[in-house]
Amino acid sequence: MSFERHPACTHANAQKLRAIYADLTRIGEFAADDMVLYTASRDLRGDRGAGRVVGKQAAVAHERELIRLTGGTLVMDVHEIVANDQFGAVLGVLRAHLRGASLAMPFCGMWRFREGLITHHWENAHDPAATEAFLLGTTGGAAA
């Protein structure tokens, strides 16, 4: 069986996602002003508003905070990207090292686009509680 490179892997929105995962702070370059980002930890609290980041600048600030929490060691090791005019999906492993511990957590980022701009992003970590505990320094880390 042979496989051809599918156009969804080379779509302009896939290229945008590659740029973002290489440098999370670039999310603002490709986002609508009113974009909404749903954090990986959104379901860990009873507050329905928790875990919802609204606006391009707030999304950039959220990504900068993730980088800060890992002491600048955060790497999004991307395995697959598919995208079209409306949606994108990214699979990979989030990696970070902090306080002598390491994190390697599978993730799936889901994206919605409108007219070439990001309108929504859903962060999905395989184990959001373990990821948050690592970032907040309340555990020794998790392995993929």
Side-chain angles (χ1 to χ4, degrees):
M1 180 180 283
S2 65
F3 294 92
E4 293 181 29
R5 190 156 177 84
H6 192 276
C9 298
T10 58
H11 190 282
N13 287 337
Q15 299 305 318
K16 292 171 190 173
L17 294 174
R18 280 187 218 304
I20 291 168
Y21 282 94
D23 179 356
L24 295 174
T25 65
R26 292 189 64 193
I27 193 170
E29 295 176 35
F30 309 105
D33 289 337
D34 61 346
M35 82 161 286
V36 180
L37 183 153
Y38 301 91
T39 68
S41 61
R42 65 188 171 271
D43 295 328
L44 298 179
R45 293 162 196 80
D47 179 0
R48 289 175 98 24
R52 189 167 177 251
V53 177
V54 180
K56 179 192 319 193
Q57 296 308 316
V60 171
H62 169 76
E63 300 299 351
R64 289 186 188 283
E65 179 64 5
L66 288 176
I67 294 165
R68 186 194 69 75
L69 286 171
T70 65
T73 67
L74 179 64
V75 173
M76 304 301 285
D77 185 6
V78 172
H79 297 167
E80 301 285 338
I81 296 179
V82 290
N84 60 24
D85 289 344
Q86 296 82 27
F87 296 101
V90 181
L91 298 174
V93 177
L94 177 152
R95 299 182 191 282
H97 308 283
L98 192 59
R99 298 175 296 274
S102 294
L103 177 73
M105 183 63 62
F107 74 85
C108 175
M110 300 300 299
W111 302 80
R112 182 179 290 151
F113 294 90
R114 182 183 64 238
E115 298 175 5
L117 294 175
I118 299 163
T119 61
H120 294 82
H121 170 43
W122 292 265
E123 297 176 340
N124 297 291
H126 177 70
D127 186 341
T131 302
E132 183 172 90
F134 175 84
L135 292 172
L136 298 177
T138 57
T139 187

